[in-house]
Amino acid sequence: MDEALALRLRLFREGGQAAPEVVDFVAAELTVLEDEGNTVTEATAGMLTSHLTMALGRLLRGEPIEEFSTDEQVAAELAGHPEAVARARAISARAEQTLGPPLPESEINFLGLHLAALAQKSSAAPGT
Protein backbone atom coordinates (compact mmCIF):
# COMPACT_ATOMS: atom_id res chain seq x y z
CA MET A 1 0.00 0.00 0.00
CA ASP A 2 1.43 3.35 -0.95
CA GLU A 3 1.70 6.33 1.40
CA ALA A 4 -1.25 8.18 -0.12
CA LEU A 5 -3.62 5.24 0.42
CA ALA A 6 -2.31 4.75 3.95
CA LEU A 7 -3.00 8.45 4.53
CA ARG A 8 -6.59 8.00 3.31
CA LEU A 9 -7.12 5.29 5.92
CA ARG A 10 -5.41 7.34 8.62
CA LEU A 11 -7.72 10.28 7.87
CA PHE A 12 -10.78 8.07 8.20
CA ARG A 13 -9.51 6.88 11.57
CA GLU A 14 -8.24 10.17 12.98
CA GLY A 15 -11.18 12.16 11.63
CA GLY A 16 -13.64 9.86 13.36
CA GLN A 17 -15.36 9.05 10.07
CA ALA A 18 -14.97 5.33 10.68
CA ALA A 19 -14.53 3.17 13.74
CA PRO A 20 -11.00 1.84 14.25
CA GLU A 21 -12.17 -1.74 13.70
CA VAL A 22 -13.57 -0.78 10.28
CA VAL A 23 -10.31 0.89 9.25
CA ASP A 24 -8.35 -2.13 10.49
CA PHE A 25 -10.62 -4.48 8.54
CA VAL A 26 -10.29 -2.48 5.31
CA ALA A 27 -6.50 -2.22 5.73
CA ALA A 28 -6.27 -5.99 6.19
CA GLU A 29 -8.36 -6.61 3.07
CA LEU A 30 -6.14 -4.25 1.07
CA THR A 31 -3.08 -6.13 2.29
CA VAL A 32 -4.59 -9.43 1.12
CA LEU A 33 -5.32 -7.92 -2.29
CA GLU A 34 -1.76 -6.63 -2.52
CA ASP A 35 -0.29 -9.96 -1.38
CA GLU A 36 -2.23 -11.63 -4.19
CA GLY A 37 -0.43 -9.48 -6.74
CA ASN A 38 -2.80 -6.56 -7.16
CA THR A 39 -1.41 -3.04 -7.44
CA VAL A 40 -2.93 -1.42 -4.34
CA THR A 41 -2.28 2.31 -4.46
CA GLU A 42 -4.24 5.52 -4.07
CA ALA A 43 -4.70 5.60 -7.84
CA THR A 44 -5.94 2.01 -8.16
CA ALA A 45 -7.76 1.43 -4.88
CA GLY A 46 -8.63 4.83 -3.42
CA MET A 47 -12.31 4.66 -4.35
CA LEU A 48 -12.54 1.02 -3.26
CA THR A 49 -11.04 1.98 0.10
CA SER A 50 -13.42 4.88 0.67
CA HIS A 51 -16.50 3.01 -0.50
CA LEU A 52 -15.86 -0.04 1.67
CA THR A 53 -14.87 2.04 4.71
CA MET A 54 -17.95 4.25 4.47
CA ALA A 55 -20.37 1.38 3.76
CA LEU A 56 -19.11 -0.65 6.72
CA GLY A 57 -19.17 2.45 8.90
CA ARG A 58 -22.83 3.11 7.99
CA LEU A 59 -23.72 -0.49 8.77
CA LEU A 60 -22.05 -0.41 12.18
CA ARG A 61 -23.84 2.83 13.02
CA GLY A 62 -27.14 1.22 12.06
CA GLU A 63 -27.74 3.61 9.17
CA PRO A 64 -29.79 2.15 6.35
CA ILE A 65 -28.13 1.45 3.04
CA GLU A 66 -30.66 1.86 0.29
CA GLU A 67 -30.92 -0.13 -2.89
CA PHE A 68 -29.82 1.84 -5.92
CA SER A 69 -31.78 2.37 -9.13
CA THR A 70 -28.68 1.20 -11.01
CA ASP A 71 -28.54 -2.22 -9.34
CA GLU A 72 -29.65 -4.06 -12.48
CA GLN A 73 -27.07 -2.24 -14.62
CA VAL A 74 -24.32 -2.98 -12.10
CA ALA A 75 -25.30 -6.65 -11.97
CA ALA A 76 -25.23 -6.82 -15.79
CA GLU A 77 -21.77 -5.27 -15.86
CA LEU A 78 -20.56 -7.76 -13.27
CA ALA A 79 -21.72 -10.73 -15.37
CA GLY A 80 -18.35 -10.56 -17.12
CA HIS A 81 -16.42 -10.48 -13.84
CA PRO A 82 -17.48 -13.51 -11.77
CA GLU A 83 -14.16 -13.50 -9.88
CA ALA A 84 -14.81 -9.95 -8.65
CA VAL A 85 -18.30 -10.91 -7.49
CA ALA A 86 -16.95 -13.95 -5.65
CA ARG A 87 -14.27 -11.82 -3.98
CA ALA A 88 -16.87 -9.19 -2.99
CA ARG A 89 -19.04 -11.88 -1.42
CA ALA A 90 -16.03 -13.27 0.46
CA ILE A 91 -15.14 -9.81 1.78
CA SER A 92 -18.76 -9.30 2.84
CA ALA A 93 -18.74 -12.65 4.68
CA ARG A 94 -15.51 -11.74 6.48
CA ALA A 95 -16.95 -8.33 7.37
CA GLU A 96 -20.06 -9.96 8.79
CA GLN A 97 -17.95 -12.41 10.80
CA THR A 98 -15.58 -9.70 12.05
CA LEU A 99 -17.80 -6.64 12.41
CA GLY A 100 -21.38 -7.90 12.63
CA PRO A 101 -23.84 -6.79 9.99
CA PRO A 102 -23.69 -8.13 6.42
CA LEU A 103 -23.38 -5.90 3.39
CA PRO A 104 -26.60 -5.68 1.38
CA GLU A 105 -26.62 -7.02 -2.18
CA SER A 106 -26.32 -3.55 -3.76
CA GLU A 107 -23.15 -2.85 -1.75
CA ILE A 108 -21.71 -6.24 -2.68
CA ASN A 109 -22.33 -5.38 -6.34
CA PHE A 110 -20.60 -2.00 -6.06
CA LEU A 111 -17.73 -3.62 -4.20
CA GLY A 112 -17.51 -6.11 -7.06
CA LEU A 113 -17.22 -3.24 -9.55
CA HIS A 114 -14.37 -1.72 -7.55
CA LEU A 115 -12.63 -5.10 -7.39
CA ALA A 116 -13.05 -5.66 -11.13
CA ALA A 117 -11.56 -2.22 -11.79
CA LEU A 118 -8.67 -2.95 -9.44
CA ALA A 119 -7.94 -6.22 -11.26
CA GLN A 120 -7.96 -4.42 -14.61
CA LYS A 121 -5.69 -1.64 -13.36
CA SER A 122 -3.37 -4.17 -11.78
CA SER A 123 -3.02 -6.18 -14.97
CA ALA A 124 -2.28 -3.00 -16.91
CA ALA A 125 0.32 -1.77 -14.39
CA PRO A 126 3.98 -1.97 -15.42
CA GLY A 127 5.81 -4.94 -13.99
CA THR A 128 2.75 -7.16 -13.60
Side-chain angles (χ1 to χ4, degrees):
M1 177 183 327
D2 68 2
E3 288 183 35
L5 192 56
L7 175 61
R8 181 183 291 255
L9 285 172
R10 201 165 41 253
L11 291 173
F12 272 116
R13 181 188 304 272
E14 292 172 2
Q17 294 174 307
E21 60 269 24
V22 168
V23 176
D24 292 344
F25 177 84
V26 172
E29 290 296 324
L30 292 173
T31 298
V32 168
L33 288 167
E34 190 169 50
D35 289 348
E36 292 175 350
N38 291 285
T39 304
V40 179
T41 65
E42 176 65 25
T44 62
M47 293 304 295
L48 163 67
T49 301
S50 289
H51 188 106
L52 185 57
T53 303
M54 293 173 72
L56 291 171
R58 286 191 303 269
L59 284 171
L60 286 184
R61 291 188 300 271
E63 297 173 14
I65 296 180
E66 299 178 23
E67 298 294 314
F68 301 100
S69 61
T70 57
D71 282 347
E72 288 183 24
Q73 293 169 321
V74 171
E77 176 69 27
L78 286 171
H81 303 282
E83 69 291 340
V85 174
R87 178 175 294 285
R89 291 193 187 291
I91 290 172
S92 177
R94 286 190 294 275
E96 182 176 11
Q97 183 178 21
T98 304
L99 301 170
L103 287 169
E105 193 67 22
S106 60
E107 287 294 338
I108 291 170
N109 286 340
F110 274 107
L111 179 56
L113 282 179
H114 286 298
L115 292 166
L118 175 65
Q120 288 176 334
K121 291 174 187 174
S122 294
S123 67
T128 57

Short mmCIF file of all heavy atoms in Angstrom, two decimals, residues 19-84:
data_model
loop_
_atom_site.label_atom_id
_atom_site.label_comp_id
_atom_site.label_asym_id
_atom_site.label_seq_id
_atom_site.Cartn_x
_atom_site.Cartn_y
_atom_site.Cartn_z
N ALA A 19 -15.03 3.80 12.51
CA ALA A 19 -14.53 3.17 13.74
C ALA A 19 -13.19 2.50 13.45
O ALA A 19 -12.95 2.02 12.34
CB ALA A 19 -15.54 2.14 14.23
N PRO A 20 -12.31 2.47 14.44
CA PRO A 20 -11.00 1.84 14.25
C PRO A 20 -11.08 0.41 13.71
O PRO A 20 -10.27 0.02 12.87
CB PRO A 20 -10.37 1.88 15.64
CG PRO A 20 -11.05 3.01 16.33
CD PRO A 20 -12.44 3.04 15.79
N GLU A 21 -12.07 -0.36 14.17
CA GLU A 21 -12.17 -1.74 13.70
C GLU A 21 -12.53 -1.81 12.21
O GLU A 21 -12.12 -2.74 11.51
CB GLU A 21 -13.16 -2.57 14.54
CG GLU A 21 -14.57 -2.05 14.56
CD GLU A 21 -14.90 -1.08 15.69
OE1 GLU A 21 -13.98 -0.43 16.22
OE2 GLU A 21 -16.09 -0.97 16.03
N VAL A 22 -13.26 -0.83 11.72
CA VAL A 22 -13.57 -0.78 10.28
C VAL A 22 -12.31 -0.46 9.49
O VAL A 22 -12.01 -1.12 8.49
CB VAL A 22 -14.68 0.26 9.99
CG1 VAL A 22 -14.80 0.53 8.49
CG2 VAL A 22 -16.01 -0.20 10.57
N VAL A 23 -11.55 0.52 9.94
CA VAL A 23 -10.31 0.89 9.25
C VAL A 23 -9.34 -0.29 9.27
O VAL A 23 -8.71 -0.59 8.25
CB VAL A 23 -9.68 2.15 9.88
CG1 VAL A 23 -8.34 2.48 9.24
CG2 VAL A 23 -10.64 3.34 9.74
N ASP A 24 -9.24 -0.96 10.40
CA ASP A 24 -8.35 -2.13 10.49
C ASP A 24 -8.79 -3.23 9.52
O ASP A 24 -7.97 -3.86 8.86
CB ASP A 24 -8.33 -2.69 11.92
CG ASP A 24 -7.64 -1.75 12.90
OD1 ASP A 24 -6.92 -0.82 12.46
OD2 ASP A 24 -7.85 -1.94 14.11
N PHE A 25 -10.10 -3.46 9.45
CA PHE A 25 -10.62 -4.48 8.54
C PHE A 25 -10.29 -4.14 7.10
O PHE A 25 -9.80 -4.98 6.34
CB PHE A 25 -12.14 -4.63 8.72
CG PHE A 25 -12.74 -5.62 7.77
CD1 PHE A 25 -12.74 -6.97 8.06
CD2 PHE A 25 -13.29 -5.20 6.56
CE1 PHE A 25 -13.27 -7.89 7.16
CE2 PHE A 25 -13.82 -6.11 5.67
CZ PHE A 25 -13.82 -7.46 5.96
N VAL A 26 -10.55 -2.90 6.69
CA VAL A 26 -10.29 -2.48 5.31
C VAL A 26 -8.79 -2.58 5.01
O VAL A 26 -8.40 -3.06 3.94
CB VAL A 26 -10.85 -1.07 5.05
CG1 VAL A 26 -10.42 -0.56 3.67
CG2 VAL A 26 -12.37 -1.07 5.17
N ALA A 27 -7.95 -2.13 5.94
CA ALA A 27 -6.50 -2.22 5.73
C ALA A 27 -6.06 -3.67 5.54
O ALA A 27 -5.24 -3.97 4.66
CB ALA A 27 -5.76 -1.58 6.91
N ALA A 28 -6.62 -4.57 6.32
CA ALA A 28 -6.27 -5.99 6.19
C ALA A 28 -6.70 -6.54 4.84
O ALA A 28 -5.97 -7.30 4.21
CB ALA A 28 -6.90 -6.79 7.34
N GLU A 29 -7.88 -6.15 4.38
CA GLU A 29 -8.36 -6.61 3.07
C GLU A 29 -7.48 -6.06 1.95
O GLU A 29 -7.19 -6.77 0.98
CB GLU A 29 -9.82 -6.20 2.86
CG GLU A 29 -10.80 -6.94 3.74
CD GLU A 29 -10.84 -8.44 3.47
OE1 GLU A 29 -10.72 -8.86 2.31
OE2 GLU A 29 -11.03 -9.21 4.44
N LEU A 30 -7.04 -4.83 2.07
CA LEU A 30 -6.14 -4.25 1.07
C LEU A 30 -4.81 -4.99 1.05
O LEU A 30 -4.23 -5.21 -0.03
CB LEU A 30 -5.93 -2.76 1.33
CG LEU A 30 -7.15 -1.86 1.13
CD1 LEU A 30 -6.86 -0.45 1.60
CD2 LEU A 30 -7.62 -1.88 -0.32
N THR A 31 -4.33 -5.38 2.22
CA THR A 31 -3.08 -6.13 2.29
C THR A 31 -3.22 -7.48 1.60
O THR A 31 -2.33 -7.91 0.87
CB THR A 31 -2.66 -6.32 3.77
OG1 THR A 31 -2.43 -5.02 4.33
CG2 THR A 31 -1.40 -7.15 3.89
N VAL A 32 -4.35 -8.15 1.80
CA VAL A 32 -4.59 -9.43 1.12
C VAL A 32 -4.59 -9.22 -0.40
O VAL A 32 -3.97 -9.98 -1.13
CB VAL A 32 -5.92 -10.06 1.60
CG1 VAL A 32 -6.32 -11.23 0.71
CG2 VAL A 32 -5.82 -10.50 3.05
N LEU A 33 -5.28 -8.19 -0.86
CA LEU A 33 -5.32 -7.92 -2.29
C LEU A 33 -3.92 -7.67 -2.85
O LEU A 33 -3.56 -8.16 -3.92
CB LEU A 33 -6.22 -6.71 -2.57
CG LEU A 33 -7.72 -6.94 -2.40
CD1 LEU A 33 -8.47 -5.61 -2.39
CD2 LEU A 33 -8.26 -7.87 -3.48
N GLU A 34 -3.13 -6.92 -2.10
CA GLU A 34 -1.76 -6.63 -2.52
C GLU A 34 -0.90 -7.90 -2.52
O GLU A 34 -0.14 -8.15 -3.46
CB GLU A 34 -1.15 -5.56 -1.61
CG GLU A 34 0.16 -5.01 -2.11
CD GLU A 34 0.57 -3.78 -1.33
OE1 GLU A 34 0.56 -3.83 -0.07
OE2 GLU A 34 0.87 -2.77 -1.97
N ASP A 35 -1.05 -8.71 -1.47
CA ASP A 35 -0.29 -9.96 -1.38
C ASP A 35 -0.62 -10.92 -2.52
O ASP A 35 0.20 -11.76 -2.89
CB ASP A 35 -0.54 -10.65 -0.03
CG ASP A 35 0.10 -9.92 1.14
OD1 ASP A 35 0.92 -9.00 0.91
OD2 ASP A 35 -0.25 -10.25 2.29
N GLU A 36 -1.81 -10.79 -3.07
CA GLU A 36 -2.23 -11.63 -4.19
C GLU A 36 -1.77 -11.08 -5.54
O GLU A 36 -2.13 -11.63 -6.58
CB GLU A 36 -3.75 -11.81 -4.17
CG GLU A 36 -4.21 -12.63 -2.98
CD GLU A 36 -5.71 -12.72 -2.88
OE1 GLU A 36 -6.44 -12.00 -3.62
OE2 GLU A 36 -6.19 -13.52 -2.06
N GLY A 37 -1.00 -10.00 -5.51
CA GLY A 37 -0.43 -9.48 -6.74
C GLY A 37 -1.13 -8.28 -7.34
O GLY A 37 -0.75 -7.82 -8.42
N ASN A 38 -2.14 -7.76 -6.67
CA ASN A 38 -2.80 -6.56 -7.16
C ASN A 38 -1.97 -5.33 -6.83
O ASN A 38 -1.26 -5.29 -5.83
CB ASN A 38 -4.19 -6.42 -6.52
CG ASN A 38 -5.14 -7.47 -7.00
OD1 ASN A 38 -5.64 -7.40 -8.12
ND2 ASN A 38 -5.39 -8.47 -6.16
N THR A 39 -2.08 -4.32 -7.67
CA THR A 39 -1.41 -3.04 -7.44
C THR A 39 -2.35 -2.20 -6.58
O THR A 39 -3.35 -1.69 -7.07
CB THR A 39 -1.12 -2.33 -8.77
OG1 THR A 39 -0.34 -3.21 -9.58
CG2 THR A 39 -0.37 -1.04 -8.54
N VAL A 40 -2.06 -2.11 -5.30
CA VAL A 40 -2.93 -1.42 -4.34
C VAL A 40 -2.30 -0.08 -3.98
O VAL A 40 -1.41 -0.01 -3.14
CB VAL A 40 -3.18 -2.29 -3.09
CG1 VAL A 40 -4.07 -1.57 -2.10
CG2 VAL A 40 -3.80 -3.63 -3.50
N THR A 41 -2.78 0.95 -4.67
CA THR A 41 -2.28 2.31 -4.46
C THR A 41 -3.47 3.26 -4.37
O THR A 41 -4.62 2.86 -4.61
CB THR A 41 -1.39 2.76 -5.64
OG1 THR A 41 -2.20 2.83 -6.82
CG2 THR A 41 -0.21 1.82 -5.85
N GLU A 42 -3.19 4.50 -4.08
CA GLU A 42 -4.24 5.52 -4.07
C GLU A 42 -4.92 5.57 -5.43
O GLU A 42 -6.14 5.65 -5.52
CB GLU A 42 -3.64 6.89 -3.70
CG GLU A 42 -4.62 8.03 -3.77
CD GLU A 42 -5.76 7.96 -2.76
OE1 GLU A 42 -5.61 7.31 -1.70
OE2 GLU A 42 -6.82 8.56 -3.05
N ALA A 43 -4.15 5.50 -6.50
CA ALA A 43 -4.70 5.60 -7.84
C ALA A 43 -5.57 4.40 -8.21
O ALA A 43 -6.58 4.55 -8.89
CB ALA A 43 -3.58 5.76 -8.87
N THR A 44 -5.20 3.21 -7.76
CA THR A 44 -5.94 2.01 -8.16
C THR A 44 -7.01 1.59 -7.17
O THR A 44 -7.97 0.93 -7.55
CB THR A 44 -4.98 0.82 -8.36
OG1 THR A 44 -4.35 0.52 -7.12
CG2 THR A 44 -3.95 1.10 -9.43
N ALA A 45 -6.85 1.94 -5.90
CA ALA A 45 -7.76 1.43 -4.88
C ALA A 45 -8.32 2.51 -3.95
O ALA A 45 -8.95 2.18 -2.95
CB ALA A 45 -7.04 0.37 -4.05
N GLY A 46 -8.13 3.76 -4.28
CA GLY A 46 -8.63 4.83 -3.42
C GLY A 46 -10.15 4.80 -3.28
O GLY A 46 -10.69 4.89 -2.17
N MET A 47 -10.85 4.68 -4.41
CA MET A 47 -12.31 4.66 -4.35
C MET A 47 -12.82 3.39 -3.68
O MET A 47 -13.78 3.45 -2.90
CB MET A 47 -12.89 4.80 -5.76
CG MET A 47 -12.61 6.16 -6.39
SD MET A 47 -13.19 7.55 -5.39
CE MET A 47 -14.95 7.29 -5.44
N LEU A 48 -12.19 2.27 -3.94
CA LEU A 48 -12.54 1.02 -3.26
C LEU A 48 -12.41 1.20 -1.75
O LEU A 48 -13.30 0.83 -0.99
CB LEU A 48 -11.62 -0.11 -3.75
CG LEU A 48 -11.56 -1.38 -2.90
CD1 LEU A 48 -12.88 -2.12 -2.91
CD2 LEU A 48 -10.45 -2.29 -3.38
N THR A 49 -11.31 1.78 -1.33
CA THR A 49 -11.04 1.98 0.10
C THR A 49 -12.11 2.85 0.74
O THR A 49 -12.67 2.51 1.79
CB THR A 49 -9.65 2.62 0.28
OG1 THR A 49 -8.67 1.74 -0.29
CG2 THR A 49 -9.33 2.88 1.74
N SER A 50 -12.41 3.98 0.11
CA SER A 50 -13.42 4.88 0.67
C SER A 50 -14.80 4.23 0.68
O SER A 50 -15.52 4.32 1.68
CB SER A 50 -13.48 6.19 -0.12
OG SER A 50 -12.32 6.94 0.13
N HIS A 51 -15.17 3.60 -0.41
CA HIS A 51 -16.50 3.01 -0.50
C HIS A 51 -16.69 1.94 0.57
O HIS A 51 -17.70 1.94 1.29
CB HIS A 51 -16.72 2.42 -1.89
CG HIS A 51 -18.12 1.97 -2.11
ND1 HIS A 51 -19.00 2.65 -2.89
CD2 HIS A 51 -18.81 0.91 -1.60
CE1 HIS A 51 -20.17 2.04 -2.87
NE2 HIS A 51 -20.07 0.97 -2.10
N LEU A 52 -15.73 1.03 0.69
CA LEU A 52 -15.86 -0.04 1.67
C LEU A 52 -15.84 0.51 3.09
O LEU A 52 -16.64 0.09 3.94
CB LEU A 52 -14.75 -1.08 1.46
CG LEU A 52 -14.81 -2.32 2.34
CD1 LEU A 52 -16.14 -3.05 2.19
CD2 LEU A 52 -13.65 -3.25 2.03
N THR A 53 -14.96 1.45 3.37
CA THR A 53 -14.87 2.04 4.71
C THR A 53 -16.18 2.72 5.09
O THR A 53 -16.71 2.53 6.19
CB THR A 53 -13.71 3.04 4.79
OG1 THR A 53 -12.49 2.36 4.45
CG2 THR A 53 -13.59 3.64 6.18
N MET A 54 -16.72 3.51 4.17
CA MET A 54 -17.95 4.25 4.47
C MET A 54 -19.16 3.31 4.58
O MET A 54 -20.00 3.48 5.47
CB MET A 54 -18.16 5.33 3.43
CG MET A 54 -17.07 6.41 3.53
SD MET A 54 -17.14 7.62 2.20
CE MET A 54 -18.60 8.52 2.69
N ALA A 55 -19.24 2.31 3.70
CA ALA A 55 -20.37 1.38 3.76
C ALA A 55 -20.36 0.60 5.08
O ALA A 55 -21.39 0.47 5.74
CB ALA A 55 -20.32 0.42 2.57
N LEU A 56 -19.19 0.09 5.45
CA LEU A 56 -19.11 -0.65 6.72
C LEU A 56 -19.38 0.26 7.91
O LEU A 56 -20.02 -0.15 8.88
CB LEU A 56 -17.74 -1.33 6.84
CG LEU A 56 -17.50 -2.47 5.86
CD1 LEU A 56 -16.04 -2.92 5.93
CD2 LEU A 56 -18.44 -3.63 6.13
N GLY A 57 -18.90 1.49 7.84
CA GLY A 57 -19.17 2.45 8.90
C GLY A 57 -20.66 2.71 9.06
O GLY A 57 -21.19 2.73 10.19
N ARG A 58 -21.37 2.89 7.93
CA ARG A 58 -22.83 3.11 7.99
C ARG A 58 -23.53 1.91 8.61
O ARG A 58 -24.44 2.06 9.42
CB ARG A 58 -23.39 3.39 6.60
CG ARG A 58 -23.05 4.77 6.06
CD ARG A 58 -23.83 5.11 4.80
NE ARG A 58 -23.65 4.16 3.72
CZ ARG A 58 -22.72 4.25 2.77
NH1 ARG A 58 -21.88 5.26 2.78
NH2 ARG A 58 -22.66 3.34 1.81
N LEU A 59 -23.10 0.71 8.22
CA LEU A 59 -23.72 -0.49 8.77
C LEU A 59 -23.53 -0.59 10.28
O LEU A 59 -24.47 -0.89 11.01
CB LEU A 59 -23.15 -1.74 8.10
CG LEU A 59 -23.66 -2.02 6.69
CD1 LEU A 59 -22.87 -3.15 6.07
CD2 LEU A 59 -25.14 -2.36 6.72
N LEU A 60 -22.31 -0.32 10.74
CA LEU A 60 -22.05 -0.41 12.18
C LEU A 60 -22.82 0.64 12.98
O LEU A 60 -23.17 0.41 14.13
CB LEU A 60 -20.56 -0.28 12.47
CG LEU A 60 -19.71 -1.50 12.12
CD1 LEU A 60 -18.26 -1.27 12.53
CD2 LEU A 60 -20.24 -2.76 12.78
N ARG A 61 -23.07 1.78 12.35
CA ARG A 61 -23.84 2.83 13.02
C ARG A 61 -25.34 2.59 12.92
O ARG A 61 -26.14 3.35 13.45
CB ARG A 61 -23.49 4.21 12.44
CG ARG A 61 -22.10 4.68 12.78
CD ARG A 61 -21.86 6.13 12.36
NE ARG A 61 -22.01 6.34 10.93
CZ ARG A 61 -21.03 6.22 10.03
NH1 ARG A 61 -19.83 5.84 10.42
NH2 ARG A 61 -21.27 6.45 8.75
N GLY A 62 -25.73 1.54 12.20
CA GLY A 62 -27.14 1.22 12.06
C GLY A 62 -27.87 2.08 11.04
O GLY A 62 -29.10 2.10 11.02
N GLU A 63 -27.12 2.78 10.20
CA GLU A 63 -27.74 3.61 9.17
C GLU A 63 -28.17 2.73 8.01
O GLU A 63 -27.44 1.82 7.62
CB GLU A 63 -26.74 4.67 8.68
CG GLU A 63 -26.33 5.64 9.76
CD GLU A 63 -25.21 6.58 9.32
OE1 GLU A 63 -24.94 6.67 8.10
OE2 GLU A 63 -24.61 7.21 10.19
N PRO A 64 -29.33 2.98 7.46
CA PRO A 64 -29.79 2.15 6.35
C PRO A 64 -28.96 2.40 5.09
O PRO A 64 -28.48 3.50 4.86
CB PRO A 64 -31.23 2.60 6.14
CG PRO A 64 -31.28 3.99 6.67
CD PRO A 64 -30.27 4.04 7.80
N ILE A 65 -28.77 1.34 4.35
CA ILE A 65 -28.13 1.45 3.04
C ILE A 65 -29.20 1.08 2.03
O ILE A 65 -29.69 -0.04 2.01
CB ILE A 65 -26.90 0.53 2.94
CG1 ILE A 65 -25.85 0.98 3.94
CG2 ILE A 65 -26.36 0.54 1.52
CD1 ILE A 65 -24.59 0.15 3.93
N GLU A 66 -29.57 2.05 1.22
CA GLU A 66 -30.66 1.86 0.29
C GLU A 66 -30.21 1.14 -0.97
O GLU A 66 -29.05 1.20 -1.35
CB GLU A 66 -31.25 3.22 -0.09
CG GLU A 66 -31.81 3.98 1.10
CD GLU A 66 -32.34 5.35 0.72
OE1 GLU A 66 -32.67 5.54 -0.47
OE2 GLU A 66 -32.42 6.20 1.60
N GLU A 67 -31.16 0.46 -1.58
CA GLU A 67 -30.92 -0.13 -2.89
C GLU A 67 -30.80 1.02 -3.89
O GLU A 67 -31.39 2.07 -3.71
CB GLU A 67 -32.07 -1.06 -3.28
CG GLU A 67 -32.24 -2.24 -2.33
CD GLU A 67 -31.07 -3.21 -2.37
OE1 GLU A 67 -30.62 -3.56 -3.47
OE2 GLU A 67 -30.60 -3.60 -1.29
N PHE A 68 -30.05 0.80 -4.93
CA PHE A 68 -29.82 1.84 -5.92
C PHE A 68 -30.60 1.53 -7.19
O PHE A 68 -30.77 0.36 -7.56
CB PHE A 68 -28.32 1.93 -6.25
CG PHE A 68 -27.48 2.25 -5.04
CD1 PHE A 68 -26.79 1.23 -4.39
CD2 PHE A 68 -27.39 3.53 -4.56
CE1 PHE A 68 -26.02 1.51 -3.27
CE2 PHE A 68 -26.62 3.82 -3.45
CZ PHE A 68 -25.93 2.81 -2.80
N SER A 69 -31.03 2.57 -7.89
CA SER A 69 -31.78 2.37 -9.13
C SER A 69 -30.90 1.74 -10.21
O SER A 69 -31.41 1.25 -11.21
CB SER A 69 -32.36 3.69 -9.62
OG SER A 69 -31.32 4.62 -9.88
N THR A 70 -29.61 1.76 -10.02
CA THR A 70 -28.68 1.20 -11.01
C THR A 70 -28.30 -0.24 -10.71
O THR A 70 -27.44 -0.79 -11.39
CB THR A 70 -27.40 2.06 -11.07
OG1 THR A 70 -26.82 2.10 -9.76
CG2 THR A 70 -27.69 3.46 -11.56
N ASP A 71 -28.92 -0.86 -9.73
CA ASP A 71 -28.54 -2.22 -9.34
C ASP A 71 -28.56 -3.20 -10.50
O ASP A 71 -27.67 -4.03 -10.62
CB ASP A 71 -29.43 -2.74 -8.20
CG ASP A 71 -29.03 -2.17 -6.85
OD1 ASP A 71 -27.94 -1.59 -6.74
OD2 ASP A 71 -29.81 -2.32 -5.90
N GLU A 72 -29.57 -3.12 -11.35
CA GLU A 72 -29.65 -4.06 -12.48
C GLU A 72 -28.52 -3.81 -13.47
O GLU A 72 -27.94 -4.76 -14.00
CB GLU A 72 -31.00 -3.94 -13.16
CG GLU A 72 -32.14 -4.52 -12.34
CD GLU A 72 -33.46 -4.46 -13.06
OE1 GLU A 72 -33.49 -4.40 -14.31
OE2 GLU A 72 -34.49 -4.47 -12.36
N GLN A 73 -28.17 -2.56 -13.71
CA GLN A 73 -27.07 -2.24 -14.62
C GLN A 73 -25.75 -2.72 -14.05
O GLN A 73 -24.90 -3.26 -14.77
CB GLN A 73 -26.99 -0.73 -14.87
CG GLN A 73 -28.17 -0.18 -15.63
CD GLN A 73 -28.20 1.33 -15.62
OE1 GLN A 73 -27.89 1.95 -14.61
NE2 GLN A 73 -28.57 1.92 -16.75
N VAL A 74 -25.55 -2.54 -12.76
CA VAL A 74 -24.32 -2.98 -12.10
C VAL A 74 -24.21 -4.50 -12.18
O VAL A 74 -23.16 -5.05 -12.53
CB VAL A 74 -24.25 -2.49 -10.64
CG1 VAL A 74 -23.10 -3.13 -9.89
CG2 VAL A 74 -24.15 -0.97 -10.59
N ALA A 75 -25.30 -5.19 -11.90
CA ALA A 75 -25.30 -6.65 -11.97
C ALA A 75 -24.99 -7.13 -13.39
O ALA A 75 -24.23 -8.10 -13.58
CB ALA A 75 -26.64 -7.21 -11.49
N ALA A 76 -25.52 -6.44 -14.39
CA ALA A 76 -25.23 -6.82 -15.79
C ALA A 76 -23.75 -6.61 -16.11
O ALA A 76 -23.13 -7.45 -16.77
CB ALA A 76 -26.10 -6.00 -16.74
N GLU A 77 -23.19 -5.53 -15.63
CA GLU A 77 -21.77 -5.27 -15.86
C GLU A 77 -20.90 -6.33 -15.18
O GLU A 77 -19.89 -6.76 -15.72
CB GLU A 77 -21.40 -3.89 -15.32
CG GLU A 77 -19.94 -3.53 -15.41
CD GLU A 77 -19.45 -3.33 -16.84
OE1 GLU A 77 -20.26 -2.96 -17.70
OE2 GLU A 77 -18.25 -3.55 -17.07
N LEU A 78 -21.32 -6.78 -14.03
CA LEU A 78 -20.56 -7.76 -13.27
C LEU A 78 -20.65 -9.17 -13.86
O LEU A 78 -19.85 -10.03 -13.49
CB LEU A 78 -21.02 -7.78 -11.81
CG LEU A 78 -20.56 -6.59 -10.99
CD1 LEU A 78 -21.25 -6.60 -9.64
CD2 LEU A 78 -19.06 -6.57 -10.84
N ALA A 79 -21.58 -9.40 -14.76
CA ALA A 79 -21.72 -10.73 -15.37
C ALA A 79 -20.42 -11.18 -16.03
O ALA A 79 -20.11 -12.37 -16.05
CB ALA A 79 -22.86 -10.74 -16.38
N GLY A 80 -19.63 -10.23 -16.51
CA GLY A 80 -18.35 -10.56 -17.12
C GLY A 80 -17.20 -10.64 -16.15
O GLY A 80 -16.05 -10.85 -16.55
N HIS A 81 -17.48 -10.48 -14.86
CA HIS A 81 -16.42 -10.48 -13.84
C HIS A 81 -16.81 -11.35 -12.65
O HIS A 81 -16.90 -10.87 -11.51
CB HIS A 81 -16.16 -9.04 -13.38
CG HIS A 81 -15.79 -8.11 -14.47
ND1 HIS A 81 -14.53 -8.07 -15.02
CD2 HIS A 81 -16.53 -7.20 -15.15
CE1 HIS A 81 -14.50 -7.17 -15.98
NE2 HIS A 81 -15.70 -6.63 -16.09
N PRO A 82 -17.04 -12.64 -12.88
CA PRO A 82 -17.48 -13.51 -11.77
C PRO A 82 -16.47 -13.58 -10.63
O PRO A 82 -16.85 -13.74 -9.47
CB PRO A 82 -17.68 -14.87 -12.44
CG PRO A 82 -16.86 -14.82 -13.69
CD PRO A 82 -16.87 -13.39 -14.13
N GLU A 83 -15.18 -13.45 -10.94
CA GLU A 83 -14.16 -13.50 -9.88
C GLU A 83 -14.29 -12.30 -8.95
O GLU A 83 -14.08 -12.42 -7.73
CB GLU A 83 -12.75 -13.59 -10.48
CG GLU A 83 -12.27 -12.36 -11.21
CD GLU A 83 -12.96 -12.02 -12.54
OE1 GLU A 83 -13.59 -12.89 -13.17
OE2 GLU A 83 -12.88 -10.85 -12.95
N ALA A 84 -14.64 -11.14 -9.49
CA ALA A 84 -14.81 -9.95 -8.65
C ALA A 84 -16.04 -10.09 -7.75
O ALA A 84 -16.01 -9.68 -6.58
CB ALA A 84 -14.92 -8.70 -9.53
#
